[in-house]
Every structure is written in structure tokens, then in C-alpha cells.
Amino acid sequence: MKSLFRRFFIVIPSILGAIAIAAPEDMSIDAYDRVKQQIDREIDRKISAEFRSQEEELQQLSSPFKTGDEVTVTLVQGGRHRQVSGTFRGIKGQSVEIGERIVLLSDLNEMDRQRLMFGDQVQMLQLKINQIRKRLEDGKQHRKDVLVKQKLNEAGYTKAFFKKTIPMGRRYWFLGDLADRKISIKVEPTKRSEFTRITVRSKLDTAVSSVIFLDKDPVYCNVLATAGETIQEDSVWAKASFRVFTSDLGDKPKEAIRSKLKILLVKKDVGSWYLKPKSDKQPSKETDADVSYFTFRVIKSTIKDYTRAIERELANNAQASVAYQQKILDSIAKREQEAELHREKRRQQREKAAEVNKRAQAEKQAIEDRMRSIDTNYAWLTTNTAKKGKAIDSSSDRVISTNTFDDINAPSRIDDDRVIQFTEWERVSGGDRALSGKKYRLLKVAEKDGSAKYTFFYQASTTNSEGTMQQRDIAVSVKFSNDSEVNWSNTFKLSPSWSGRLVAARELTSPNIEYTIKAVTIDPM
């Protein structure tokens, strides 16, 4: 009987010596269930055999000796066992009367003593039996737990296995297979402060669909979806880079990443789960304090078996993330368009400035060329420039020229603080037809003291058909708007058989030039 009351306090042998494999070959939950059922059957048979004697003893205790029963009990004295039979007449003190003999209770074996003591105390006996039954069942269960654990360890289902795996989709998955510590991100500001760049790196070797959330808003995915249906198979996500609006991260970007960013992973026909970031150390080569790194861990409470609802949710989130990235692309495109418009405006301004400068340079060059032309073509105004073969105006000692000077279009310039300006050629109509193409113009030279000098130029075409030198006298009359008038004449000597233009000039010293010229006549005398 001692075994029944003491065996349950014996330390169960250690199973540290059991050999366990790293993991079962078959990771399915069905395989685990089959192994577990087989082990349970085995252990149940083993436990039944191990605890058979205790069960029998408990059964005996359930049938106590009552006063008046014929009983046979075993005496244990000095290591010897002998039986005593007779009528159970009751217990007196520390002795029991069986037949004609008085026997000490302490000399009886444990089971007989208990059966005699509880024979007439049914309630106490039942309480005792319940206590022993509970200890017996607890002992059996403990023993079974130990043996089952040992067998499961031998089959690869160790405590470490269950700690490192998660059941999903009717099989066990190692946390590493679910991207635990296998996805990391680098968060860094961009040149444009309104965006923050996130670079994702994954060491996963299995295909999954992924959606990245910022708080509750999907911001990036590796899945294409439309109308609630995914249209791209799962893919292995090795590296990805995308932007988020910096404003969505608030004043504390790193804290926002830790608390708001999460990744949804979906394995088709298996299940879905989320990952959350944990701050990581910066690599030694990273010198930018604004750059931060994070590694992702599996959120075990978010693991779900695969359903069509998960697929629809994935598709909707994928579409939302594409829309988010499109907003960023639109923002970038708008900025680039604005920048391009600004560059185009600057380019046009530069081109306009260059054109203005070019025109100014051209005008300057043209003026310089005209001035050189004036200096050259009007050099005949002095006798020093008379060339051989040219007739000379006898009255003004000026050269006759065949140059019309029509290429000089009202030039003007500033020279030595003087303003030099030509008016356009004005035609003179009427008069003697012996002269044709009659024109006049004025040259104004304004000095810096405010005074001005005017020179009147005129030209007319004529011919000398005679074979001898001919003389032509030309009368010029200039009338002003105040009805004043200036008259003079020029004499030209024409070479034999000569044809060309007569050109002459006269300085107008009269103040009348301040008035507008009203009429001009140029005719032979």
C-alpha cells in the first residue's frame, strides 16, 4: 500500500538524454496530428501498465472491511508476512480484534489497515478515495505529459520548434519563413524636403504579396490589382524603393515609422500576417544622422488562414497604394513641369537678352558701318578728297559724285558728345524735267553746349550728251513753315558724254531751320 501513497511523490526520470531532431520532415499540421495520436495511443497503453497496481489497490480500498465481515489480513512482523483470518469484531484504540486474536494496527500492511479503519466510516472513506484518485490521475497525467513530450521531441516537435514556428494554412512555419528579421528598411530624406525615401531589402527566398501601410493607409505594394482581383502572382521581393510624403510622418519621422509603419504579407492559399518595425543600428559606414534603419518582426496575433476575403482585401489595398504613389508621381511631375517652365522662361529671357544684345551689337555695328560709310561717301564734301575725273562745283568747291547714298537710312550716332543725325530722303516733285530723281535730306549736328548745325543735301539725275565739257547751274530754294526762305545756286561742270547724279550740300546758318521745311525746289537756271 505504501506504493499507492508515496509513488506519486517520486521524481520522474529525466528525459534530457532523449535525442531530438531539429524539425519534423513533414511540417503539416495533419502530420503533427497523426504523430500526436499515435504517441497518445502508445503512452496510454504504457501508463495503463505502469499504474495497474495502483488502480488495483484503489479498487481494493473501495471495498472496505465492515464489522462482522469474515476477513483475512496480512501481518508484517520482523520482515515476515503471515495471514490471520476471522471475524472482524472492531477496532479498540491501536488494536483490532479478528476472531479470537487482538492484533496491533501497526503490524498490518497498509491496505488492510486502511480497509479496516474506514469500514464503518463511509463518508471519510469516500473522501479518502477521492483524494487518492485525484493524486493518481494527476500522477498518470504528469507521467503521460513527460512521455508524450519525450516522444514529440524525438519526432522533432520540441519546445524550441513550437517557439520558432507558427501554425498557418494547415502547416507549421518557421518565423524566418514568414520574414521575421528578414526584411529591413532604410529611411532617408530626399533632396526635395516634401518627400522621404524608404528602401526595402528582403532576404526572403519564398514568393509573397506585400503591402506597406503608414498608419491605416497603404503606401506601397509589390502586387498589381484591379477591380478587387489580383492580376499578378506572388513575387520574391528582394529590394524596393519608394517615397512617402514627409508630412505624413509628422514632426518625429523616426517615431512615426516605429509606431505607424507596418507590412502586410500574403501567401496565396496559406494565409496573411503583419510585420512591425524595430529600430536597428546604423551601419558604421553611414555618416548621415538623418538616415535611420529598421528591422521587421512578425506580429503573431495578426496571423490568419487564407480566405477569399483576404485576397479581395489585398487587391483593394494594392490599388490604394498605387493611388498613393501616383499622387507622389503627380506631385513630382508638377514640380518638374514648374521647374521646366521656369527653365524655359529663363531660357527665353536669356535668348531675348541675347537677341536684344545681338540686335544692339548689330545696330551698333550698323551704325559704325554707316558712320564709316558716311565718313567715306561724304568725304567729297571737302576739296581735299576730290578725285581725278570728277567735276567740281565751281561755286562751293565741292565734288560731283555719282553715288546716290540711298543705302544710308537716316543714321544717327553720338560722337564726342555730339549727336549726329540724318533725316530720311524726301522727294522733290515738279520742276524742269531736265533734272530727275530730285531728293533732299538734312544732317543735324547737335553740340553739347546745346547749339546745332544743319547741312542741307540734295541730289538730282542728269546727263551730258555733248562731246564737250558742259556747265549746269542749279537753283535751290528752301521755304520754311514761317514763310521765310533760303535761296542759292550751284554750278556743276559735266564731263563729255556723262550720265549720273549731281550731289551737293549747303550749311544752313539761318535760324530758320528751327522751323519745319515747307517746300523745296531744285531746277536748272
Side-chain angles (χ1 to χ4, degrees):
M1 188 61 189
K2 291 183 178 179
S3 61
L4 179 61
F5 298 100
R6 298 180 182 176
R7 185 174 301 175
F8 306 112
F9 303 97
I10 298 176
V11 177
I12 302 300
S14 171
I15 61 168
L16 296 178
I19 299 175
I21 60 176
E25 293 183 3
D26 190 343
M27 296 283 285
S28 70
I29 294 178
D30 290 339
Y32 170 76
D33 289 342
R34 288 193 300 270
V35 171
K36 182 67 164 55
Q37 290 171 6
Q38 182 179 351
I39 291 175
D40 284 342
R41 287 193 297 269
E42 260 182 53
I43 299 305
D44 285 344
R45 289 194 297 268
K46 187 177 182 64
I47 293 296
S48 179
E50 287 186 2
F51 287 84
R52 184 174 293 114
S53 60
Q54 287 93 327
E55 289 284 357
E56 292 175 353
E57 291 174 353
L58 185 58
Q59 186 64 35
Q60 289 178 5
L61 184 61
S62 299
S63 302
F65 297 139
K66 296 179 180 180
T67 303
D69 288 347
E70 293 293 325
V71 299
T72 299
V73 297
T74 302
L75 291 176
V76 181
Q77 295 173 324
R80 292 181 304 164
H81 295 73
R82 60 192 181 91
Q83 291 183 335
V84 175
S85 298
T87 302
F88 174 34
R89 298 184 185 280
I91 298 175
K92 295 180 180 179
Q94 297 299 317
S95 302
V96 59
E97 184 178 357
I98 299 175
E100 301 298 327
R101 298 192 60 175
I102 303 296
V103 180
L104 291 174
L105 287 172
S106 60
D107 288 340
L108 297 173
N109 68 23
E110 187 71 21
M111 178 57 70
D112 288 344
R113 184 169 59 248
Q114 294 293 330
R115 292 177 72 183
L116 291 170
M117 290 176 62
F118 289 105
D120 293 327
Q121 302 178 40
V122 177
Q123 291 182 349
M124 290 187 63
L125 174 62
Q126 190 58 49
L127 179 61
K128 187 68 173 180
I129 289 175
N130 290 341
Q131 291 175 348
I132 295 175
R133 169 61 68 185
K134 185 178 186 307
R135 286 199 297 268
L136 178 60
E137 293 301 325
D138 289 345
K140 290 167 67 176
Q141 187 61 50
H142 178 67
R143 178 60 171 157
K144 181 177 180 177
D145 291 342
V146 170
L147 293 176
V148 168
K149 182 177 180 180
Q150 179 180 355
K151 290 294 184 180
L152 287 175
N153 282 349
E154 293 172 357
Y157 298 103
T158 62
K159 181 179 180 180
F161 170 79
F162 288 107
K163 185 177 180 180
K164 294 181 179 180
T165 61
I166 293 177
M168 179 177 61
R170 297 304 302 168
R171 66 158 288 175
Y172 289 99
W173 297 86
F174 283 106
L175 291 176
D177 293 335
L178 302 182
D180 191 66
R181 301 178 184 270
K182 287 194 174 183
I183 292 181
S184 60
I185 61 171
K186 175 183 179 182
V187 182
E188 56 188 327
T190 63
K191 293 181 180 179
R192 292 172 173 166
S193 58
E194 68 266 33
F195 303 119
T196 296
R197 179 177 297 280
I198 297 178
T199 302
V200 185
R201 294 182 181 275
S202 171
K203 297 179 181 178
L204 275 177
D205 55 4
T206 183
V208 292
S209 298
S210 312
V211 179
I212 297 180
F213 290 80
L214 189 57
D215 205 358
K216 296 181 180 180
D217 299 323
V219 297
Y220 189 76
C221 72
N222 72 333
V223 188
L224 294 178
T226 181
E229 296 292 336
T230 55
I231 59 175
Q232 175 177 301
E233 292 296 327
D234 298 352
S235 59
V236 176
W237 193 6
K239 182 179 179 181
S241 182
F242 62 95
R243 302 178 184 90
V244 297
F245 289 105
T246 302
S247 59
D248 290 342
L249 298 177
D251 298 332
K252 298 179 179 179
K254 293 183 181 180
E255 181 59 33
I257 293 293
R258 277 193 295 267
S259 61
K260 296 183 178 181
L261 196 72
K262 59 182 178 180
I263 301 177
L264 169 65
L265 298 181
V266 177
K267 181 68 176 172
K268 193 170 185 179
D269 298 327
V270 175
S272 68
W273 64 100
Y274 282 90
L275 306 176
K276 64 179 179 181
K278 182 180 179 181
S279 296
D280 212 347
K281 292 182 179 179
Q282 281 192 337
S284 56
K285 62 181 179 180
E286 182 61 67
T287 58
D288 191 344
D290 293 330
V291 176
S292 52
Y293 293 80
F294 298 86
T295 299
F296 282 79
R297 303 296 308 275
V298 171
I299 306 176
K300 296 181 180 180
S301 60
T302 64
I303 293 176
K304 297 179 182 178
D305 287 341
Y306 191 82
T307 62
R308 282 289 296 165
I310 287 178
E311 184 174 356
R312 289 192 295 270
E313 181 183 1
L314 172 65
N316 293 334
N317 287 330
Q319 285 183 288
S321 67
V322 170
Y324 183 92
Q325 288 300 311
Q326 188 60 50
K327 285 173 59 179
I328 290 180
L329 293 177
D330 291 343
S331 178
I332 293 174
K334 183 179 178 181
R335 287 298 186 93
E336 290 179 348
Q337 185 179 19
E338 292 173 350
E340 180 59 31
L341 290 175
H342 179 70
R343 288 193 293 269
E344 179 62 20
K345 184 177 180 180
R346 291 291 302 276
R347 184 186 67 79
Q348 291 178 354
Q349 289 175 342
R350 288 194 299 269
E351 288 183 353
K352 184 176 181 180
E355 184 63 27
V356 170
N357 183 63
K358 182 179 179 180
R359 286 199 302 269
Q361 292 295 329
E363 289 176 1
K364 179 181 178 182
Q365 186 64 42
I367 291 173
E368 292 177 353
D369 292 344
R370 289 168 188 158
M371 292 306 100
R372 283 195 295 270
S373 176
I374 291 172
D375 292 342
T376 300
N377 295 327
Y378 284 86
W380 49 268
L381 293 177
T382 65
T383 56
N384 294 331
T385 60
K387 295 182 180 180
K388 186 177 180 180
K390 301 292 184 182
I392 297 178
D393 172 6
S394 59
S395 63
S396 61
D397 198 27
R398 288 185 173 88
V399 177
I400 298 173
S401 174
T402 60
N403 195 326
T404 65
F405 308 106
D406 289 337
D407 58 328
I408 304 176
N409 296 318
S412 62
R413 65 173 175 170
I414 299 176
D415 185 18
D416 296 331
D417 294 327
R418 298 182 304 166
V419 177
I420 301 175
Q421 184 176 18
F422 267 114
T423 66
E424 297 283 353
W425 286 105
E426 298 288 342
R427 290 186 179 277
V428 179
S429 59
D432 195 324
R433 292 185 177 181
L435 294 176
S436 63
K438 294 179 288 186
K439 300 178 184 179
Y440 75 90
R441 72 193 310 181
L442 289 175
L443 170 64
K444 177 183 178 182
V445 178
E447 302 291 347
K448 61 182 178 179
D449 61 2
S451 62
K453 294 181 180 180
Y454 294 87
T455 303
F456 182 89
F457 290 86
Y458 73 89
Q459 60 174 302
S461 297
T462 188
T463 59
N464 176 20
S465 57
E466 301 297 331
T468 59
M469 178 76 73
Q470 297 291 317
Q471 178 176 303
R472 296 287 172 85
D473 296 320
I474 306 298
V476 181
S477 176
V478 179
K479 294 181 180 180
F480 298 94
S481 59
N482 64 348
D483 294 329
S484 62
E485 185 175 354
V486 177
N487 299 292
W488 75 92
S489 64
N490 295 107
T491 300
F492 297 92
K493 295 179 179 180
L494 307 181
S495 301
S497 303
W498 184 87
S499 177
R501 292 196 177 197
L502 304 178
V503 180
R506 180 183 180 88
E507 185 175 307
L508 301 178
T509 57
S510 170
N512 293 331
I513 195 62
E514 296 296 334
Y515 300 100
T516 304
I517 293 177
K518 182 178 181 181
V520 175
T521 59
I522 303 173
D523 288 307
M525 294 180 60

